[in-house]
């Protein structure tokens, strides 16, 4: 990991103190824009595990579907034929 955080090995039981550190790290990364699937890849844990830990950390989840901002192109401009 770029910041030096070391994820515990998969299928290893972690102490409550370690779980608190993991929850804080997951929350920090999610709040900084990492997706749940991105956290899955970084940590080697399942989607359900990441989601449960974020719920336990009282994270405000982003809406599904990615970036919902309107594009720079107008909504009425479809594909343009070459001139």
């Amino acid at each position: 990991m770029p910041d030096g955080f070391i994820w515990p090995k998969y299928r290893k039981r972690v102490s409550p103190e370690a779980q608190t550190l993991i929850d804080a790290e997951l929350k920090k990364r999610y709040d900084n824009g990492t997706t749940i699937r991105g956290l899955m890849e970084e940590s080697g844990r399942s989607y359900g595990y990441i989601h449960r830990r974020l719920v336990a950390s009282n994270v405000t989840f982003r809406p599904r579907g990615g970036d919902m901002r309107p594009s720079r192109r107008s909504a009425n401009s479809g594909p343009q034929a070459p001139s």
Side-chain angles (χ1 to χ4, degrees):
M1 299 298 97
D3 61 4
F5 186 81
I6 299 173
W7 296 101
K9 293 195 183 258
Y10 182 69
R11 292 190 167 251
K12 283 287 198 176
R13 190 173 295 265
V14 295
S15 68
E17 296 82 17
Q19 190 62 62
T20 302
L21 294 174
I22 292 167
D23 290 352
E25 186 67 21
L26 289 171
K27 180 176 174 43
K28 178 180 86 173
R29 290 180 188 216
Y30 185 80
D31 287 342
N32 286 332
T34 306
T35 63
I36 293 178
R37 295 194 189 281
L39 292 170
M40 285 173 45
E41 291 175 12
E42 291 177 13
S43 67
R45 298 292 176 135
S46 70
Y47 184 97
Y49 173 84
I50 300 295
H51 191 270
R52 280 191 309 274
R53 298 319 316 159
L54 291 174
V55 167
S57 299
N58 296 317
V59 166
T60 301
F61 288 99
R62 296 184 293 267
R64 294 176 51 176
D67 188 4
M68 301 302 287
R69 293 178 293 183
S71 67
R72 286 194 255 179
R73 291 175 50 176
S74 130
N76 295 332
S77 67
Q80 300 295 323
S83 1

